[in-house]
Amino acid sequence: MEEQDKILNEVTQGEYKYGFVTDIDTDIIEKGLNEDVVRLISAKKEEPEFMLQFRLDAFRKWQKMKMPDWAYLKIPPINFQEISYFAAPKKKAQYESLNEVDPELLETFNKLGIPLEEQKHLAGVAVDAVIDSVSVKTTFKETLAEKGIIFCSFSEAVKEHPDLIKKYLGQTVPVADNFFAALNSAVFSDGSFCYIPKGVRCPMELSTYFRINAANTGQFERTLIVADDDSYVSYLEGCTAPMRDENQLHAAVVEIITMERAEVKYSTVQNWYPGDKEGKGGIYNFVTKRGVCRGESSKISWTQVETGSAITWKYPSCILIGNNSVGEFNSVAVTNNYQQADTGTKMIHIGKNTKSTIISKGISAGKSDNSYRGLVKVLPKAENSRNFSQCDSLLLGDTCGAHTFPYIEVNNKSSVVEHEATTSKIGEDQIFYCNQRGISTEDAIGMIVNGYAKEVLNKLPMEFAVEAQKLLQISLEGSVG
Amino acid sequence: MLSIKNLFVSVEGKEILKGINLEINPGEVHAIMGPNGSGKSTLANVLTGKEGYDITEGEVSYNGEDLLEMAPEDRAKEGIFMSFQYPVEIPGVPMVNFLKTAVNEHRKHRNEEPLTAGEFLKLMREKKELVEMDTQLTNRSVNEGFSGGEKKKNEIFQMALLEPKLAILDETDSGLDIDALKTVARGVNALKSPERSTVVVTHYQRLLDYIVPDFVHVLYNGKIVKSAGKELAHELEAKGYDWIKKENGN
């Protein structure tokens, strides 16, 4: 028993590889939040009036809101006046060519495995790199523009494509949707915007890479993806942060809109700093992600591999308005040490013959708590709709927790909703079986966990899947008892 | 090859093995028989290094080394193989990957180059024929959805791939119909060699009609109370275990 614990500990005490800090000149505004700060952010970004009004509206609503307390999370009080709401690497915000980019910054992204030189880049992935509050560089912009695809930083989109932003921003996640979405709407600094025109299949994966660098700042980014009729895009999101003893707040909003027969695949590998083994530090990750299938037969699928953050509060959802539209949620969430995750999805069936699938695989280790929370709601007019949910939990050791909170609401008789759930403990018998065949405990755990998560990992684009597999193995600090 | 001396083992404070002595030489087939609860599986688990057993006294040496000091995976790589009574399922892990990892771990231990995918598939084909293994099974996840017979055959197939020096078959006959039993036995016999020793742990004599032992030991109440040639198995079959119990004062 002890021996196994020891091996497990060694195996799983993988250090967080991305915890370094980049030494660059950073422009950070004073801590604190009030209307002036909101105006200052808008001014710094040279935004048009409609954006300022959007922010102020959100801020005024946010002031009247309370932090949600319904999640199965112990959230230490957050002093929103102790956070700086804008940090940007000094010099120029957006670079025309790589020669202008601070070499330190380039080095940072290279270390993270995100080369910004296009010729060296992984084949077929365009990247928007966001550090602290601003987008540093978007690659392959010109190649994409030839097809009419817009892929740029959010700030740029506000300037270059104000009509599109005006039309779609806040449509899917209204400013006062929830406490954190309202906060984001008031102070978000950058992010990515993507528009795929009618009939275009995006020829490469689009990707945003988020990096928190500055201390005592929050990161609030905004992603908006609009897929017009008969278009398709696969979108990837990755994130890391330095190791710090203080907690840092990350509150993002992602909005997706699909028109007739359009499809968006959104994949996330979330690897924010989870805090140390005693639970000190780490990112508070409060994210609102939602997609609306507006068009008939359109499809949105969320795939997420969540290994990071001290606290995760996140429910990527689909609102299925178009008839025959399809929503998918595939998730692997790993918690270890003192990490807490309350994550899941909402599938709202509004159109006829709409379909949704939920596959959630939770893995808990150490002293962590891992909850699945999901809502399946079928409205009266959503005839012949179907949902299938499968929520599995895997426990490593006996000091962690796994919880499932499914909410099901069906308002017509022709729809079918299925829910399956399992909880299992990683078997000492499974590990011993592997040992008996000459496989070490370390490799056995990696094998068993990856086997368990395979259904979801298979949905990720290739390079991401490999990264995610490794990440799963590294993240599992804990023990089997 | 394997020498067990005065072995005492307890589980959660309860003494299960009470002074086992056993010598096994290369090429020999030993059958360990006994009624339920006599400690047969405990012995198999202690030899392979499963956790949860307290060895309170005695020693086990394997090819001159202290077996009890070795990690389970090292025992495996040094040639001790167990065919499990209840092989576990590992969902999502393809048999092929599992076996390739196992075979290459063994090779690494012997300072041999790992097999390439092509070489491994060839090896798998050969061994499948040897133990009459259904070719489809290796495409599935480890033991997932296998019937009782398929699981046992799969154990013998793994034994063929790993070529152990000492094979311990723990209740390999349990839950098998006579045809499956014969196939499994044919597989085991095909793997017999002058270097390879086999320990057959079983409750019933019927498996021993097909895997013929050189020695039969009766384990009762944590001790080996009788050892003899294969005829002892027949005697047990005829008389049951009651006479053993009587002779040993129960």
Side-chain angles (χ1 to χ4, degrees):
Chain A
M1 205 74 115
E2 276 165 29
E3 183 59 17
Q4 190 170 314
D5 280 352
K6 214 175 85 197
I7 298 170
L8 259 164
N9 278 326
E10 279 168 17
V11 175
T12 51
Q13 310 277 315
E15 291 295 327
Y16 187 73
K17 279 199 303 187
Y18 309 100
F20 59 89
V21 180
T22 310
D23 185 19
I24 41 168
D25 269 348
T26 308
D27 172 18
I28 302 183
I29 63 171
E30 290 283 305
K31 288 177 186 175
L33 185 56
N34 52 47
E35 253 190 53
D36 290 342
V37 170
V38 175
R39 284 176 194 279
L40 179 64
I41 292 170
S42 190
K44 272 190 178 284
K45 305 195 77 65
E46 299 163 10
E47 286 178 344
E49 181 62 22
F50 83 90
M51 278 303 303
L52 177 63
Q53 290 313 319
F54 178 87
R55 289 175 184 281
L56 289 173
D57 177 33
F59 179 72
R60 285 164 194 155
K61 285 174 175 152
W62 177 76
Q63 280 182 306
K64 293 181 199 125
M65 296 171 86
K66 280 211 171 72
M67 236 174 87
D69 58 1
W70 42 260
Y72 194 83
L73 298 170
K74 286 188 207 89
I75 308 172
I78 300 171
N79 185 346
F80 290 92
Q81 300 305 331
E82 275 302 304
I83 298 171
S84 165
Y85 289 83
F86 188 85
K90 266 190 192 154
K91 302 186 179 170
K92 230 169 146 181
Q94 180 81 19
Y95 302 88
E96 294 305 317
S97 91
L98 273 183
N99 299 335
E100 297 175 25
V101 180
D102 186 335
E104 279 280 348
L105 267 185
L106 270 186
E107 186 49 37
T108 301
F109 282 98
N110 279 336
K111 261 199 221 171
L112 297 170
I114 315 288
L116 297 178
E117 297 101 281
E118 296 188 2
Q119 65 276 21
K120 281 194 200 164
H121 205 274
L122 295 166
V125 184
V127 179
D128 182 22
V130 177
I131 194 155
D132 293 331
S133 303
V134 295
S135 166
V136 176
K137 170 84 183 143
T138 311
T139 62
F140 289 105
K141 231 157 54 180
E142 293 77 20
T143 321
L144 292 168
E146 283 166 22
K147 295 212 166 222
I149 296 167
I150 303 169
F151 179 47
C152 61
S153 72
F154 206 94
S155 325
E156 197 180 336
V158 168
K159 288 185 188 131
E160 309 281 324
H161 311 281
D163 297 345
L164 287 173
I165 298 294
K166 223 178 193 165
K167 191 167 165 194
Y168 294 115
L169 179 66
Q171 292 293 303
T172 310
V173 179
V175 287
D177 185 81
N178 66 68
F179 183 82
F180 293 106
L183 178 63
N184 172 287
S185 301
V187 301
F188 77 88
S189 41
D190 217 334
S192 306
F193 173 69
C194 167
Y195 173 81
I196 315 287
K198 282 185 183 154
V200 171
R201 230 188 128 78
C202 185
M204 56 178 77
E205 312 268 357
L206 301 187
S207 156
T208 305
Y209 196 89
F210 296 107
R211 172 80 181 163
I212 295 179
N213 187 57
N216 303 316
T217 58
Q219 177 146 330
F220 307 91
E221 81 271 352
R222 189 102 191 176
T223 303
L224 174 58
I225 301 171
V226 181
D228 217 327
D229 299 352
D230 301 291
S231 68
Y232 166 85
V233 65
S234 166
Y235 201 94
L236 319 174
E237 177 203 294
C239 29
T240 57
M243 291 157 75
R244 293 187 197 285
D245 287 349
E246 313 82 51
N247 298 103
Q248 276 183 285
L249 179 62
H250 171 253
V253 173
V254 176
E255 297 178 282
I256 300 177
I257 296 167
T258 52
M259 307 301 189
E260 313 285 320
R261 296 166 301 277
E263 179 177 352
V264 174
K265 271 177 78 169
Y266 193 103
S267 314
T268 308
V269 173
Q270 188 263 108
N271 188 23
W272 294 116
Y273 178 53
D276 69 9
K277 293 175 191 84
E278 276 74 51
K280 199 167 181 199
I283 302 293
Y284 291 164
N285 192 34
F286 298 96
V287 171
T288 306
K289 290 183 165 174
R290 192 174 304 155
V292 180
C293 286
R294 282 202 192 165
E296 228 178 89
S297 304
S298 64
K299 180 175 174 183
I300 293 176
S301 57
W302 299 101
T303 301
Q304 59 173 24
V305 175
E306 303 277 314
T307 61
S309 300
I311 296 177
T312 296
W313 179 97
K314 177 177 167 187
Y315 316 90
S317 307
C318 299
I319 300 174
L320 306 169
I321 295 176
N323 293 339
N324 305 308
S325 59
V326 178
E328 274 180 20
F329 174 75
N330 307 295
S331 168
V332 176
V334 181
T335 53
N336 198 0
N337 296 320
Y338 289 88
Q339 278 179 278
Q340 308 177 63
D342 192 302
T343 182
T345 185
K346 284 189 270 184
M347 293 290 174
I348 315 292
H349 293 255
I350 298 173
K352 289 183 182 121
N353 306 314
T354 46
K355 262 196 222 127
S356 64
T357 310
I358 298 171
I359 296 176
S360 162
K361 304 261 179 185
I363 302 167
S364 336
K367 297 193 161 47
S368 68
D369 265 307
N370 200 330
S371 306
Y372 166 81
R373 186 181 303 277
L375 167 68
V376 176
K377 186 171 183 175
V378 181
L379 274 73
K381 283 185 180 159
E383 288 158 23
N384 298 309
S385 291
R386 286 181 166 274
N387 161 269
F388 174 75
S389 303
Q390 187 190 324
C391 304
D392 299 330
S393 309
L394 184 68
L395 299 167
L396 280 81
D398 45 19
T399 50
C400 52
H403 319 272
T404 307
F405 305 98
Y407 306 82
I408 298 171
E409 243 180 78
V410 183
N411 296 301
N412 70 51
K413 285 186 176 153
S414 55
S415 296
V416 181
V417 172
E418 290 173 75
H419 181 93
E420 287 178 10
T422 66
T423 301
S424 48
K425 228 176 126 173
I426 196 164
E428 274 173 59
D429 285 349
Q430 288 174 326
I431 293 175
F432 180 63
Y433 191 76
C434 295
N435 286 159
Q436 217 301 305
R437 299 303 185 246
I439 300 167
S440 69
T441 300
E442 170 179 356
D443 292 342
I445 291 173
M447 207 180 235
I448 295 165
V449 166
N450 274 306
Y452 166 79
K454 197 166 92 179
E455 235 180 310
V456 173
L457 296 179
N458 280 347
K459 309 257 178 190
L460 289 171
M462 253 302 245
E463 312 93 59
F464 247 40
V466 176
E467 190 193 329
Q469 268 187 24
K470 286 190 210 140
L471 204 54
L472 281 188
Q473 202 154 348
I474 306 171
S475 317
L476 284 168
E477 292 183 25
S479 57
V480 172
Chain B
M1 162 181 266
L2 184 78
S3 167
I4 305 174
K5 289 203 177 93
N6 198 33
L7 183 68
F8 283 77
V9 176
S10 51
V11 177
E12 289 169 359
K14 192 175 174 240
E15 201 158 64
I16 308 284
L17 298 183
K18 303 166 183 170
I20 302 277
N21 290 289
L22 186 63
E23 294 287 331
I24 295 173
N25 296 307
E28 292 176 351
V29 177
H30 290 247
I32 295 178
M33 301 184 69
N36 291 333
S38 57
K40 300 190 299 285
S41 287
T42 299
L43 181 60
N45 288 339
V46 167
L47 292 178
T48 47
K50 191 169 200 251
E51 291 188 5
Y53 297 91
D54 297 323
I55 291 134
T56 50
E57 211 181 317
E59 54 191 70
V60 180
S61 80
Y62 172 68
N63 289 331
E65 288 192 62
D66 183 353
L67 183 72
L68 301 175
E69 283 299 307
M70 292 162 75
E73 61 269 33
D74 293 332
R75 300 182 198 199
K77 288 184 282 194
E78 282 291 331
I80 296 183
F81 177 91
M82 174 150 84
S83 165
F84 284 76
Q85 183 177 2
Y86 304 108
V88 291
E89 303 187 353
I90 310 181
V93 177
M95 263 325 286
V96 183
N97 294 10
F98 176 76
L99 294 174
K100 188 160 172 273
T101 309
V103 166
N104 282 335
E105 285 297 327
H106 277 73
R107 292 181 65 88
K108 196 160 93 191
H109 187 69
R110 299 191 295 257
N111 289 318
E112 293 168 2
E113 289 293 308
L115 293 181
T116 63
E119 289 165 339
F120 179 72
L121 290 176
K122 192 167 158 263
L123 177 70
M124 239 177 36
R125 265 200 304 277
E126 284 168 20
K127 301 296 184 184
K128 270 183 187 165
E129 274 174 36
L130 193 67
V131 298
E132 303 167 53
M133 172 90 169
D134 184 349
T135 42
Q136 294 305 312
L137 289 180
T138 44
N139 296 332
R140 296 208 223 144
S141 295
V142 178
N143 292 319
E144 199 179 36
F146 286 32
S147 71
E150 285 168 341
K151 280 184 182 168
K152 295 299 169 73
K153 244 192 252 180
N154 188 26
E155 294 292 294
I156 304 306
F157 170 58
Q158 294 179 50
M159 173 176 156
L161 274 173
L162 298 173
E163 302 188 314
K165 293 185 191 127
L166 173 66
I168 302 167
L169 312 181
D170 188 9
E171 306 273 2
T172 292
D173 49 337
S174 70
L176 293 191
D177 64 32
I178 194 71
D179 290 328
L181 185 77
K182 281 183 187 169
T183 332
V184 165
R186 269 203 300 276
V188 173
N189 288 327
L191 294 168
K192 239 177 130 174
S193 88
E195 294 81 40
R196 183 169 299 136
S197 313
T198 311
V199 175
V200 184
V201 174
T202 181
H203 184 91
Y204 299 106
Q205 180 268 341
R206 60 174 196 163
L207 178 65
L208 304 178
D209 284 342
Y210 305 98
I211 303 172
V212 182
D214 301 310
F215 303 95
V216 176
H217 311 278
V218 179
L219 189 61
Y220 177 66
N221 204 11
K223 281 185 200 141
I224 291 180
V225 294
K226 223 173 187 59
S227 293
K230 64 179 178 218
E231 66 285 350
L232 178 55
H234 292 285
E235 203 178 341
L236 282 171
E237 178 74 359
K239 298 191 193 167
Y241 284 108
D242 283 348
W243 64 284
I244 297 275
K245 294 183 185 173
K246 272 183 201 133
E247 274 185 17
N248 287 279
N250 261 321

